[in-house]
Amino acid sequence: MTTAANRTIQTASHWGVYSVEVSASGEIGPTVPFANDPAPTALIRSLPDMVRSPLRIDRPYVRSGYLKNRERSAQGRGSEAFVPVSWDTALDLIVDGMQRIKSEHGNESIYGGSYGWASAGRLHHSPSVLKRFLGLFGGYVDKRGNHSFGAALGVMPYVTGDNDITAMVMPWPSIVAHSELVVMFGGAHTKNMQIDAGGAVTHDNARWIERAAASRVRFVNISPSRSDMTEGLEADWIPIRPNTDVAMMLGMAHSLVAHGLHDAGFLATHCEGYGAFERYLLGQDDGVAKSAAWASAITGVPARTIEDLALRMARCRTLVTTTWSIQRADHGEQPVWATVALASMLGQIGLPGGGFSLGFGAVNGITTSRPDGIPRPTLSLGKNPVRSFVPVGRVADMLLNPGSELEFNGATIRMPDIRLIYSVGGNPFHHNTHLNRFVQAWRKPEMVVVHEPWWNPPAKYADIVLPATTTMERNDILATDLQRHYIAMRQVIDPVGGARNDMDIFADLSERLGFRQAYTEGRDEMGWLRHMYVQARERAFALGFSPPAFDEFWEAGSYEFPMAAEPPLFLSAFRGDPVANRLATPSGKIELFSRRIEAFGYDDCPPHPAWLEPAEWLGGESAARFPFHLLSNQPKGRLHSQMDAGAVSRATKVDGREPLALHASDAQRCGIVAGDVVKVFNDRGAFLASAVISCDLMPGVLQVATGAWFDPEDPAAPCSVEKHGNPNVVTMDKGTSRLTQSSVAQTVLVQIEKCVDPPRVSAFDLPAIEPAPAQAAALTPASATGGITG
């Protein structure tokens, strides 16, 4: 209830819509979930304490070495103290550096490919406002692809002619009503269903899991970890050696052929290239039949289990699902393509409850039904005059090897020479791999500018840090692609300390650079929200929807688009008439053999689904030195690395470190007991974690959540032990293949040993702060005195 002394204000996040009570003095109370959310997540409880966290950056700071020596000081990045400066000084330093670097090296020397989930709002989406700004400055090098499902994003246009990966999912209502068997490579866990990149509104998965558990549907979890599957579905568990899913899929496909259970009619009318794929299955060219026995030797799954499951799948309505995590591995394109091939042989693609799904349950709204084509309020990014780009998984290569050539998706690209990194809204020290190498790469450019609310790894590894607001300190609109709501995200409190929102920061930089009007178009925050909403509303009316006027919407706080009918299932129209509804592939069909990929001549991505031995796996030579396969999963107490310092995330840690699960037999063999601090290492680096004993993992497999804030023991050392439990210290930095160059974070072998005298975790410590110099002139570049205005 709102009184004269307090107010209750609604806002939203990736985890859900919520309200908070704010006192007259600005104190924030606990979060109250959205009334229409049937199963709100506990993650929203971290938000209030993070807003007032002692880790908040109170004003602009500049790394001491950068103040003294500018572009020749990069090696101190991440290990030196910071100096507080005024906003004017910080902005003038940025303008001075940007103009100098542009003048000397051109716009292709500026990397603006910020990557991360940023804010759930449509206006204050940090990478978007950054790109709008840099485009008006003359352009920037951008990224291509993503870490979530990059291999699938790259290969599926060749297979089905489509790259809308989040649409390639069978919704819960169809599964409960029509599926008899759901075979899940990598499982599906409810912790992943708490979040949405554009913001979660209603969490409906829990009730659908209950309905599925009470139905005739049976689930099979094919994974190295039993706990990769939500407990409510009581799935059969088939343990499989990591990174060998393709071999099992091929063994199942071979079993279908051997028993004459493949759907020859569907393969003839809806697929292209099956004959070549069958020749591969039968070993007619290489002499190796991809039988269940062959697959068993690779996967560790008994041949009878593989064959029996294939026969069971052919005799009932079956959905095959493959997680995004499985394609984040060496040759990650292959399990995606093999999933489609296996489903094609079953002949059920396009049928209710049948076919395949990619990333089922990966995020909250992906499995729910929603109206087609809901327009979203959108901020235009404008044009980027620079055409150069880097695959998102190859950023370190770009920074370390300017001018080098990289084969990518049928072409050869030349790596630009990056002198300036401008990063907002993401944590590069979370999603990039082989972090010791990445730190070296991050120290190559002359200048790194970061906007951050907290002293997290990106802030500590910057030259100039600007304090940014959190969601509670600004107004916005949530309008996610995966749900059917508009939500008013209202400002809860005034900005903390000297924080400012990213858009206002870029407006002031644009003022100094002479294009403020082009950047802001004369609108402030509420002016932009009203403008974006009115444009979306006009498009909505054209589609037959009737959202209210902006003021009515803002007062009400939400609008839910009506569901007139269930939208068509993925590929259902194509199934019904493959001639009238041709796919955007050369044949118009599902391509099980791609002549386009064949023309590229990539030995690491053949023209049909194939088993290719990973660079590291438990069946390879390197397992003799590093006998454990390390898997990293989505954490249950945070989103990636967001809110790692919050109470919910800290409660999941063991003595302040990330828990690392290992099988009881492995623990006994290594002399490790629960709670021990263990060192996980290979030739790329080492991290410390707290041991948790589990019988839900295969022996020889370790599992740790991603997202622990990067915390090296000695930030100045070239290869220091990471103390907090960040697995990307040991992951490989190579591309899945020359086709997509995506992340292989799940392909990593390690050794493990007990750490007797572990160092203290300092991930949540403030950096060293030096007092500002007595003379302001020591901080002031020429531009701050009026030397540069346009």
Side-chain angles (χ1 to χ4, degrees):
M1 175 182 295
T2 301
T3 70
N6 60 60
R7 298 172 297 153
T8 300
I9 303 174
Q10 173 187 278
T11 185
S13 71
H14 301 303
W15 306 275
V17 181
Y18 61 97
S19 296
V20 291
E21 188 174 281
V22 186
S23 71
S25 62
E27 294 182 6
I28 304 171
T31 55
V32 179
F34 188 47
N36 294 335
D37 189 348
T41 170
L43 292 177
I44 61 174
R45 295 204 299 265
S46 273
L47 299 169
D49 64 292
M50 285 298 291
V51 172
R52 299 291 190 187
S53 167
L55 289 170
R56 286 298 298 267
I57 302 172
D58 61 338
R59 60 181 297 178
Y61 287 84
V62 181
R63 182 171 57 84
S64 61
Y66 185 82
L67 280 175
K68 297 170 185 174
N69 206 17
R70 303 294 170 83
E71 66 270 19
R72 291 179 294 278
S73 72
Q75 287 307 306
R77 197 171 289 147
S79 62
E80 292 180 341
F82 285 88
V83 178
V85 299
S86 69
W87 267 103
D88 281 340
T89 297
L91 296 179
D92 288 335
L93 280 169
I94 293 170
V95 168
D96 184 66
M98 289 182 67
Q99 291 203 321
R100 177 185 58 77
I101 288 170
K102 176 179 177 177
S103 175
E104 295 177 3
H105 306 287
N107 283 85
E108 286 198 356
S109 67
I110 300 171
Y111 179 58
S114 283
Y115 183 91
W117 278 36
S119 168
R122 302 295 293 186
L123 175 62
H124 294 295
H125 181 257
S126 310
S128 297
V129 294
L130 167 67
K131 291 176 182 182
R132 180 180 174 88
F133 165 72
L134 291 178
L136 289 168
F137 184 64
Y140 56 96
V141 174
D142 203 355
K143 62 175 176 59
R144 185 74 57 84
N146 66 39
H147 286 283
S148 295
F149 47 79
L153 187 68
V155 76
M156 284 304 288
Y158 295 97
V159 181
T160 63
D162 192 0
N163 67 354
D164 188 358
I165 304 302
T166 60
M168 299 179 186
V169 177
M170 185 68 61
W172 275 118
S174 186
I175 292 174
V176 171
H178 300 284
S179 297
E180 296 174 83
L181 179 63
V182 181
V183 177
M184 313 189 90
F185 286 90
H189 201 285
T190 49
K191 70 180 186 307
N192 301 336
M193 303 176 196
Q194 302 177 90
I195 54 176
D196 263 332
V201 182
T202 59
H203 293 83
D204 297 313
N205 287 283
R207 64 187 180 94
W208 283 111
I209 289 171
E210 290 179 3
R211 293 181 185 182
S215 73
R216 64 174 182 170
V217 189
R218 294 296 173 261
F219 293 84
V220 178
N221 172 29
I222 303 172
S223 170
S225 172
R226 187 200 307 270
S227 60
D228 275 348
M229 194 73 175
T230 179
E231 294 179 0
L233 294 179
E234 297 183 355
D236 295 331
W237 180 36
I238 300 178
I240 186 173
R241 187 176 282 165
N243 289 187
T244 66
D245 303 87
V246 173
M248 182 160 176
M249 294 178 193
L250 294 174
M252 296 163 76
H254 183 279
S255 298
L256 295 177
V257 175
H259 289 270
L261 293 175
H262 58 301
D263 191 327
F266 183 86
L267 292 167
T269 56
H270 291 73
C271 300
E272 174 72 16
Y274 171 71
F277 178 58
E278 185 180 276
R279 287 184 62 84
Y280 172 74
L281 284 179
L282 300 179
Q284 292 176 349
D285 294 325
D286 61 8
V288 179
K290 313 309 179 294
S291 64
W294 167 87
S296 177
I298 295 170
T299 63
V301 179
R304 176 58 63 87
T305 300
I306 296 172
E307 186 170 22
D308 287 351
L309 180 58
L311 304 187
R312 182 182 170 195
M313 293 164 68
R315 291 168 178 152
C316 65
R317 183 64 58 87
T318 299
L319 177 67
V320 183
T321 76
T322 296
T323 62
W324 294 345
S325 60
I326 284 174
Q327 55 87 69
R328 288 195 292 271
D330 200 15
H331 313 303
E333 301 83 6
Q334 301 310 310
V336 173
W337 205 348
T339 298
V340 179
L342 182 58
S344 297
M345 293 176 69
L346 293 171
Q348 300 179 25
I349 291 175
L351 291 176
F356 69 92
S357 287
L358 300 179
F360 181 88
V363 292
N364 175 58
I366 203 169
T367 52
T368 56
S369 300
R370 55 194 180 276
D372 281 337
I374 295 176
R376 313 292 171 178
T378 302
L379 174 72
S380 172
L381 302 186
K383 295 181 180 179
N384 179 12
V386 172
R387 302 268 63 88
S388 296
F389 66 90
V390 60
V392 70
R394 307 270 52 80
V395 172
D397 288 345
M398 173 186 70
L399 298 175
L400 290 170
N401 304 303
S404 63
E405 293 186 339
L406 181 76
E407 291 184 86
F408 172 69
N409 197 25
T412 300
I413 61 176
R414 184 176 295 276
M415 292 297 196
D417 185 2
I418 299 300
R419 303 301 180 101
L420 163 63
I421 296 174
Y422 209 130
S423 178
V424 295
N427 180 359
F429 299 88
H430 159 66
H431 53 255
N432 285 291
T433 52
H434 194 349
L435 285 179
N436 287 318
R437 181 175 187 258
F438 182 76
V439 168
Q440 296 176 29
W442 194 255
R443 287 173 171 157
K444 289 281 287 185
E446 300 170 15
M447 179 180 179
V448 175
V449 182
V450 166
H451 301 185
E452 275 295 338
W454 301 281
W455 281 112
N456 57 15
K460 292 178 180 179
Y461 277 82
D463 297 324
I464 301 173
V465 184
L466 302 183
T469 54
T470 67
T471 300
M472 286 194 196
E473 298 156 76
R474 55 195 184 224
N475 296 293
D476 215 326
I477 296 173
L478 183 151
T480 174
D481 290 336
L482 296 179
Q483 295 198 355
R484 55 181 183 266
H485 293 76
Y486 287 172
I487 298 292
M489 300 170 60
R490 303 189 186 102
Q491 183 174 335
V492 176
I493 59 171
D494 292 334
V496 173
R500 303 177 63 193
N501 73 58
D502 299 306
M503 194 163 201
D504 287 347
I505 294 171
F506 289 127
D508 278 0
L509 287 171
S510 299
E511 175 81 30
R512 286 163 163 79
L513 293 165
F515 52 81
R516 183 186 183 99
Q517 177 60 32
Y519 184 79
T520 67
E521 299 182 17
R523 300 185 183 96
D524 60 8
E525 178 184 69
M526 291 305 297
W528 270 112
L529 292 176
R530 183 182 298 274
H531 172 73
M532 291 161 55
Y533 183 91
V534 168
Q535 286 189 321
R537 183 171 182 252
E538 290 175 355
R539 297 195 302 273
F541 270 101
L543 294 170
F545 299 110
S546 302
F550 176 78
D551 290 333
E552 182 182 348
F553 156 72
W554 195 256
E555 176 66 24
S558 66
Y559 172 73
E560 181 175 357
F561 284 79
M563 283 283 292
E566 287 289 325
L569 298 174
F570 175 61
L571 294 179
S572 59
F574 168 70
R575 180 186 183 86
D577 190 338
V579 176
N581 300 291
R582 288 173 53 90
L583 303 180
T585 58
S587 65
K589 301 178 180 181
I590 297 169
E591 300 219 344
L592 304 183
F593 184 100
S594 170
R595 297 204 177 278
R596 285 182 174 177
I597 293 179
E598 181 185 37
F600 299 157
Y602 295 155
D603 58 2
D604 55 3
C605 188
H608 58 74
W611 161 252
L612 300 173
E613 186 173 348
E616 294 181 7
W617 68 299
L618 292 175
E621 294 181 1
S622 53
R625 292 183 60 213
F626 302 110
F628 293 97
H629 195 119
L630 177 68
L631 297 176
S632 48
N633 61 338
Q634 171 67 28
K636 63 181 181 180
R638 58 181 178 269
L639 165 59
H640 304 315
S641 68
Q642 288 191 20
M643 304 292 170
D644 188 32
V648 176
S649 178
R650 291 200 196 201
T652 68
K653 300 179 188 288
V654 178
D655 293 332
R657 296 180 217 271
E658 281 300 302
L660 176 124
L662 71 162
H663 192 270
S665 63
D666 292 327
Q668 184 178 24
R669 179 165 51 85
C670 296
I672 294 169
V673 299
D676 280 348
V677 175
V678 294
K679 178 181 177 181
V680 182
F681 62 96
N682 57 22
D683 291 336
R684 292 178 287 273
F687 69 89
L688 304 182
S690 294
V692 174
I693 312 304
S694 172
C695 290
D696 288 339
L697 279 175
M698 289 182 66
V701 176
L702 310 176
Q703 190 169 51
V704 66
T706 64
W709 284 7
F710 180 57
D711 187 26
E713 184 174 11
D714 181 2
C719 188
S720 181
V721 173
E722 201 279 335
K723 301 177 293 182
H724 191 203
N726 189 317
N728 276 334
V729 174
V730 297
T731 50
M732 300 181 70
D733 190 15
K734 69 179 291 291
T736 50
S737 77
R738 286 174 285 174
L739 184 72
T740 72
Q741 294 288 358
S742 297
S743 173
V744 301
Q746 301 289 7
T747 298
V748 51
L749 293 184
V750 296
Q751 180 58 282
I752 183 173
E753 65 184 22
K754 184 174 179 177
C755 180
V756 177
D757 187 21
R760 185 183 71 87
V761 174
S762 56
F764 306 136
D765 289 358
L766 296 174
I769 305 294
E770 293 183 356
Q775 297 182 353
L779 300 177
T780 307
S783 59
T785 62
I788 299 175
T789 58

